[in-house]
Amino acid sequence: MSQSAVPTKPVVTLFEQYGAGADYIGPKLAERFGVQYVGYRWSSEELEQLHATPAEEQTAFDRFMVAAGRGAEPGESTPVHLFQMADNEAVNANSAELNAMAAKGLVVLGHNATVILADHPGALHVKLDGPAERRVAYAAAATGIDQAHAARRLAREDRVRAEFSLALYGWDPRTNDRYHLVVNTSLFGVDDAVRIILAARERVS
């Protein structure tokens, strides 16, 4: 068998708009593929704790994340300079780590894997989305918080994760041009979403 004909290990990158079920879908896919699952680097709880940290205890990166989560005032933009793109150490380390893991097969949520692994052979790039009100309801039920709390998380996280990607990788994960597949989990449900993604992976393998 030629080298080009050797089957590649399954690689699926996921980006989730908050409350679209990635915490369920990602591990299920990894289990079916028999590969490692890597979730978000910062959980919802960790992002909330960061916003509660006193300003004098925050790093420059912390201040960037807090500013992104709070949102800019009218006429202002998020202060990207607080986490300089010129310092590529974290970016390079993340890229190297993802490429090494992908060689063994991987399902990864976030980490800007959609752009880092854009040219990885056979990788499937998926966005999980749905109407905001449905995502709020799902997240509240799945995590045991009330819907007001879930709505605050949605507003913060959908902004923070996009601002982070724009600042460090120059892409907006909310747009759909880099994905093979966008799944409305509010319409299909998380179990059908798993089946849809499994079927789509067969098309790119």
Side-chain angles (χ1 to χ4, degrees), residues 4 22-23 32 34 72 77 84 87 100 105 132 140 180 201:
S4 61
D23 285 343
R32 290 290 300 272
S77 60
Q84 294 292 336
D87 181 3
H180 294 114
R201 173 50 181 56

Side-chain angles (χ1 to χ4, degrees), residues 60-123:
F61 174 75
D62 293 340
R63 291 193 294 276
F64 168 78
M65 295 294 278
V66 170
R70 183 178 61 243
E73 297 297 326
E76 296 181 348
S77 60
T78 301
V80 172
H81 65 277
L82 291 175
F83 193 56
Q84 294 292 336
M85 289 185 66
D87 181 3
N88 289 322
E89 183 176 350
V91 172
N92 292 337
N94 182 50
S95 298
E97 183 180 20
L98 283 175
N99 278 289
M101 289 189 292
K104 302 176 182 178
L106 179 68
V107 175
V108 55
L109 172 62
H111 295 258
N112 291 285
T114 301
V115 290
I116 293 169
L117 301 176
D119 297 323
H120 186 87

Side-chain angles (χ1 to χ4, degrees), residues 108-171:
V108 55
L109 172 62
H111 295 258
N112 291 285
T114 301
V115 290
I116 293 169
L117 301 176
D119 297 323
H120 186 87
L124 177 71
H125 306 295
V126 181
K127 179 183 177 185
L128 305 174
D129 208 342
E133 65 275 11
R134 299 287 296 275
R135 291 188 282 119
V136 164
Y138 176 89
T143 59
I145 60 177
D146 61 44
Q147 292 205 15
H149 190 172
R152 290 193 297 273
R153 281 187 175 178
L154 181 146
R156 175 186 297 123
E157 292 191 32
D158 281 358
R159 183 186 303 116
V160 164
R161 299 194 193 280
E163 292 277 7
F164 182 72
S165 296
L166 282 163
L168 287 165
Y169 293 88
W171 78 295

Side-chain angles (χ1 to χ4, degrees), residues 178-198:
R178 291 183 178 267
Y179 303 106
H180 294 114
L181 179 68
V182 178
V183 183
N184 181 341
T185 59
S186 299
L187 176 62
F188 291 103
V190 290
D191 286 309
D192 277 346
V194 170
R195 288 188 279 270
I196 291 168
I197 296 168
L198 287 171

